Structure formats: structure tokens, C-alpha cells
Amino acid sequence: MTRPEDVEHLPSGARLVRWRWARSRNKTVQDAVATLGARDILVLPEDERPYEIDSSRGFRGAGAWRAMVRVPRGIVGLGPGAVVEPSASSFRAGRQTYADGLQEKLIESVTDGAFFGNFTLRGRDFGEVAYHGIQVTGSGASFQAMRFQGAHRGWTAHAPGEAAAITAYSGSDIAVRNVEIDGRDPRTGVAVGTSPLMFNRNRRTVVTDTWMHHIAFGMPSWWECADIWSERMYLNDVAQAPQGWSPGINVENSTGDMTFVDPTLLLGSRVTGNTGKPLNVGGDRGTTGTITIRNPTLDGGAEAGRFGIREYGIQAPGEVRYTIVTAAGDAVPYDVSR
């Protein structure tokens, strides 16, 4: 691809600004962002060398909140050969000890209508510190045709050690389309990624044609969200860490119409001993509304032939109406446990 205008779902009103230097100049993503205006999207041609995020200051990028770099409106590549990754540096940090949700991330945007698409994001080991890949705050954000390779790091499935390749906070109409999230370190092949998708206080999220695999702990998760739509979400090779735990989908303190069409949830219970259920529902305030699972594909296990649901926290029986059906609309038997 040679024209960024050919990328699908680009936001209207954005200005596309191409990387301006010869690669021999050794410029960083931070250098490029410093030249952008508030509505600009950085355009990266494919290249044999990665575009580097300067990691020497850790998660203290200029003008950012615990991010290596803040971009105004996003990044678009001209193909998967446009690779972004943090630089090798002496920066190292230990595990976070604060009580809140994870704050550190490689890239952030706090602009409505942010767009990230058509490039590859890789991560790097910086000690035991956990970090997200990309976090957006605001409405109308879109992720399109991306590949993540070990771009997020964590050590468990709860705060502050739970990280996501893509995380959204606040705002409405967040879309993830045609994305691959590979939780393995691109250099060692070891699964380092935790929950691949994390939506937080979002309304109307859409996830389509997204493949998540080789996850150490965790699951795609919606926390305090309303109205969820997903089609063809594919999850396999999860719970890769020793004593790893990975449900298929987590819906926590959420409400409204929550629909998952054609999900493939290969949780590997017979291989890894993973005890996660295909669906987790609950929270410290509980979830209400309707959850529809249409045409699920599972890999069997202790509940072969039945769809397993775990309710947790203060979730009261009957607060969620479950509809689990085949592609033809026939009921799929399911069990609800705690």
C-alpha cells in the first residue's frame, strides 16, 4: 500500500502526515510526534528497520501520563512491514505495587476519534514492570488491521499486573477490527501478554475478526461497559504461564445488550489444566441485561457439550438473561456456577 487514504475506517477531519526523514537520521517516534498538530495522524511507510519509541526515560514521555509517547490522533502504517517498537535501553523497573488499575503503556492518545491501523507493534522486556500496548481515552477510537507481538506485559489477571494490547478508558463507540494479538515476546517466543483486550467504562464497543493467542493469563474483558457487539472473535493457546488462568470472555459490572456472534474459545483445559469458563459474569456491583452467545465453538473439557458460565462477586441469580444458541437458533445447553 502506498496511499494512507486507502486504509479503511480513517476518521474524517484528520490530517495525514508522513514520516519526514530518511531512516539514516535515527529519529524516534517521539521526534515525529513533536512535529504533529492536534488533528494529525502519523503515517509510517513499510521499512526494513523498526520505527523506535525512545525507551530511555521509561514511561515518562513528554506530555504523557505514564506512557512512553502520547500521539495526538493516532498512527497509520502502509503495511505490516511498518513496525513500531521501543528501543533497547538501560531502563528497567520492577512490578507495580499501587492498588489501581495499570497505568503504564507504550502509546496513548486522549483525543476523540483516535485511529491506529495497518502496522505492527512489538514490545520489549524492561524487567518485571507491566505495561499496556496502546491506550485510548475518549470516544470514536478505532483499531484496524493491526498486529501486536508481545506488545503488552503483565504477570496476573487483575490490577495492577493485568495489561492489555489494546485498552480503552471512558468514551463511546470504540471499534477493534481485523486485529491479531500475539502474546509472545517476539525475541524469545515466551507468552508474556495478559488480558489482550480491556474495555473500561465504554459504551457501544465493537470487536470483529480479531485473533488473540498465546496469552499467559487473563481474557478479553469489559468492565463497567454498556452495549457490546462482537463477531468472529478467536481465542486460543491461553493460560500459557505456569498456573495460568484464562476464561474466554469477562463481563464485569456491565449492562445492556451484550452480543457475541461466532466466538471461538479454545481454552485448552485438557492441555494446560486451565479452569477458566467460556464466560465470566459478575463484579463488585454486578452485571445486568442480556448476554447472547450465538454459534460458539469450544474445545471441550470438563463440560464438553455444554457452555460454561461462572458468576462471581455479588452477581445475583437472574440479573442477566442468557441466550446461548447455535447458528440455526437452536438452544445450546449451559451451566451457571460460582
Side-chain angles (χ1 to χ4, degrees):
M1 180 179 293
T2 58
R3 287 169 25 95
E5 295 85 353
D6 294 334
V7 176
E8 292 184 311
H9 304 294
L10 276 171
S12 61
R15 191 170 76 104
L16 302 173
V17 179
R18 187 182 288 256
W19 181 274
R20 62 176 61 188
W21 301 285
R23 297 309 306 283
S24 59
R25 295 289 300 277
N26 294 319
K27 294 293 186 177
T28 67
V29 173
Q30 286 94 330
D31 292 325
V33 167
T35 71
L36 301 179
R39 65 186 183 92
D40 292 349
I41 292 177
L42 178 62
V43 177
L44 302 178
E46 291 188 288
D47 196 284
E48 62 184 18
R49 294 171 52 197
Y51 296 88
E52 289 194 329
I53 302 169
D54 179 11
S55 69
S56 61
R57 299 184 63 214
F59 299 99
R60 297 184 294 113
W65 173 250
R66 297 189 188 177
M68 288 193 177
V69 63
R70 174 180 288 186
V71 300
R73 194 74 187 270
I75 299 172
V76 61
L78 298 184
V83 177
V84 176
E85 68 178 18
S87 65
S89 73
S90 61
F91 168 69
R92 294 291 184 275
R95 292 184 177 185
Q96 289 87 338
T97 57
Y98 51 76
D100 297 334
L102 182 67
Q103 301 295 313
E104 284 72 21
K105 53 271 192 189
L106 296 180
I107 301 171
E108 71 173 356
S109 175
V110 296
T111 304
D112 285 347
F115 181 88
F116 295 89
N118 215 42
F119 69 96
T120 298
L121 180 65
R122 295 176 182 159
R124 187 179 291 275
D125 179 24
F126 294 110
E128 293 191 305
V129 64
Y131 61 84
H132 301 301
I134 301 175
Q135 177 172 309
V136 293
T137 302
S139 296
S142 183
F143 297 83
Q144 167 75 28
M146 284 196 65
R147 187 180 191 195
F148 294 81
Q149 295 180 303
H152 67 298
R153 309 287 167 118
W155 68 84
T156 189
H158 57 78
E162 183 180 24
I166 294 172
T167 182
Y169 181 79
S170 186
S172 59
D173 302 303
I174 311 298
V176 177
R177 305 180 182 94
N178 300 303
V179 167
E180 179 190 355
I181 298 173
D182 182 345
R184 294 173 293 189
D185 184 292
R187 296 163 187 84
T188 67
V190 174
V192 294
T194 53
S195 299
L197 295 174
M198 293 172 61
F199 298 98
N200 306 277
R201 294 179 173 163
N202 299 118
R203 185 174 185 86
R204 294 188 301 274
T205 59
V206 174
V207 177
T208 62
D209 300 296
T210 291
W211 178 28
M212 297 160 281
H213 58 98
H214 292 93
I215 304 302
F217 293 89
M219 63 273 134
S221 186
W222 284 258
W223 177 73
E224 294 192 4
C225 291
D227 301 325
I228 299 163
W229 180 268
S230 171
E231 292 183 76
R232 296 175 300 279
M233 187 169 66
Y234 196 105
L235 188 67
N236 68 280
D237 290 304
V238 299
Q240 294 293 291
Q243 299 179 334
W245 177 75
S246 296
I249 298 165
N250 182 59
V251 179
E252 183 174 356
N253 296 339
S254 295
T255 189
D257 294 322
M258 297 162 274
T259 300
F260 301 87
V261 178
D262 296 328
T264 297
L265 308 172
L266 308 182
L267 304 185
S269 59
R270 291 174 174 168
V271 177
T272 65
N274 179 23
T275 59
K277 305 286 187 180
L279 178 63
N280 250 23
V281 177
D284 57 8
R285 286 184 293 280
T287 292
T288 61
T290 300
I291 295 180
T292 300
I293 311 288
R294 187 182 306 159
N295 193 36
T297 298
L298 308 177
D299 58 349
E303 299 170 337
R306 305 184 72 84
F307 191 92
I309 301 169
R310 173 180 171 257
E311 293 187 337
Y312 65 96
I314 68 161
Q315 187 67 32
E319 287 295 308
V320 172
R321 179 188 173 194
Y322 299 107
T323 302
I324 320 293
V325 295
T326 66
D330 299 323
V332 172
Y334 65 88
D335 294 314
V336 179
S337 61
R338 292 195 64 88

